[in-house]
Amino acid sequence: MTDTDVHVLRCTGPGVLPGQPCHTLSKQPDGPNPTMAKLHRYATANGWSAVGTGRELCPTCTQTHGTTARLAPPQLVTAGPAPMFSQNNTGADGTSVDGRASERAAASLLTRVQARRGARVEPTRDGGAFIAWTVLRFGERDGDVVETECTITLKPLVPLGRLTQTIRADLDIIDAAPGRTRLDASAHRITTGFHSIPPAATARLVERGWVVVEAGGSVRLSLAARLALHADAHRTTTSEPIGYYRPDQAVSAGANRGGRRNGLLHNGTSRASCACGELSKYDDSRYGARIRARKHREETARLAILAGTFNV
């Protein structure tokens, strides 16, 4: 950890409500520095922790940076049993259980659930996944059979943030060079042979969990990144139906009489389309178009799991 990685903060803000960030912060011993307020908000939002001696609870903003505490960046996301996702399981009886899952456990879960008949897997753009399947249960009366849905929701513990074009380009470079991508600790860069990602972009990819740094220094895309990339590549939309409209006077002569919807026709057709270009179909209603779009996302996720896209 270098001097540039540790910032000593001192709260100088006036009295604010508990839990609110300070208005201004200063860096010792340089004196007042307004940009430290932005650093403080970034640190608290990205899980930075107070390290070193003199850790105190600030009486003004109730943040644990105190007068001599130091905020250090979070540890690198490494491969192994460390949890990467929060997991919520909802059973057939409606009970909900919260837990955490490592990267490998989440990847194994996607593979095992996909083998279940009727299971649906849908990656989300925040780097998680939604899993659902139907269970048949006996009802309260004899002979009654009730369909209930079980769900599993995975969300990254560290928010990935927005997938920008720059981040996507960097991830494509890393994914295109498997086995050759490494983290140069001295230069704070990710290198892939002919390409090199700048230090600021490297820090952003590592801190937010877009990439995983292996024990030997090699770098690969995280499972959360692969899920987010897949969901972003298959963004679906449905068009708004025309609704009621008045046809051509020559075609409907004598039908266009006064009063509310006399002579009007209804068109509820909606088009379901996907960013990948493989879906562009019309349905009689927008509800049907949304179902068609959902089935397309689930089918592409199934094919991606079978192809090993989410294996780690």
Side-chain angles (χ1 to χ4, degrees):
M1 185 177 297
T2 62
D3 294 336
T4 57
D5 296 330
V6 178
H7 302 273
V8 181
L9 306 180
R10 177 172 59 86
C11 176
T12 60
V16 293
L17 295 176
Q20 298 295 322
C22 299
H23 293 284
T24 58
L25 297 173
S26 63
K27 181 169 62 174
Q28 306 266 2
D30 300 333
N33 186 355
T35 60
M36 295 301 291
K38 181 182 296 185
L39 170 66
H40 179 266
R41 290 193 296 269
Y42 173 83
T44 55
N46 288 272
W48 288 34
S49 58
V51 298
T53 59
R55 178 174 179 177
E56 301 175 7
L57 181 66
C58 174
T60 301
C61 67
T62 68
Q63 298 293 332
T64 55
H65 57 72
T67 57
T68 59
R70 297 177 298 171
L71 290 176
Q75 299 296 323
L76 301 181
V77 179
T78 57
M84 179 180 288
F85 298 92
S86 64
Q87 179 176 337
N88 175 265
N89 294 12
T90 302
D93 56 353
T95 58
S96 180
V97 179
D98 294 326
R100 293 186 175 186
S102 65
E103 184 185 35
R104 293 174 182 174
S108 176
L109 175 64
L110 294 176
T111 303
R112 287 185 288 108
V113 170
Q114 184 56 47
R116 179 186 290 269
R117 179 178 298 179
R120 308 188 305 273
V121 179
E122 184 176 342
T124 57
R125 297 179 64 183
D126 62 354
F130 178 77
I131 305 169
W133 67 93
T134 302
V135 177
L136 299 179
R137 301 180 61 194
F138 290 110
E140 298 180 356
R141 297 182 299 180
D142 293 340
D144 289 348
V145 178
V146 181
E147 290 187 359
T148 57
E149 188 176 64
C150 300
T151 62
I152 299 177
T153 304
L154 297 174
K155 290 185 178 180
L157 292 175
V158 179
L160 296 179
R162 190 168 64 91
L163 179 60
T164 62
Q165 294 183 356
T166 302
I167 293 179
R168 173 180 284 278
D170 293 338
L171 295 179
D172 290 340
I173 292 175
I174 296 173
D175 195 32
R180 302 195 308 271
T181 307
R182 304 187 62 83
L183 176 64
D184 188 349
S186 59
H188 303 284
R189 288 173 174 266
I190 293 177
T191 59
T192 61
F194 294 103
H195 296 88
S196 176
I197 300 177
T202 297
R204 181 167 53 249
L205 294 176
V206 174
E207 291 175 2
R208 295 183 181 179
W210 288 104
V211 298
V212 173
V213 181
E214 303 282 1
S218 60
V219 179
R220 61 172 175 81
L221 299 189
S222 66
L223 175 60
R226 294 188 180 278
L227 290 172
L229 288 172
H230 180 88
D232 187 74
H234 295 280
R235 303 186 312 274
T236 58
T237 58
T238 57
S239 62
E240 183 177 0
I242 297 176
Y244 288 95
Y245 68 99
R246 190 173 297 279
D248 188 7
Q249 297 286 344
V251 176
S252 58
N256 293 330
R257 298 185 296 269
R260 299 182 67 83
R261 294 178 179 175
N262 290 340
L264 297 182
L265 300 180
H266 183 268
N267 185 355
T269 304
S270 177
R271 182 171 70 95
S273 59
C274 182
C276 67
E278 297 180 0
L279 175 66
S280 180
K281 295 184 179 180
Y282 287 89
D283 204 277
D284 294 337
S285 64
R286 196 169 195 179
Y287 176 76
R290 288 171 177 169
I291 294 178
R292 189 185 296 272
R294 189 195 68 188
K295 290 183 177 180
H296 171 76
R297 296 193 303 266
E298 294 171 353
E299 178 64 17
T300 55
R302 186 185 69 85
L303 295 177
I305 294 175
L306 294 178
T309 303
F310 304 132
N311 293 345
V312 295

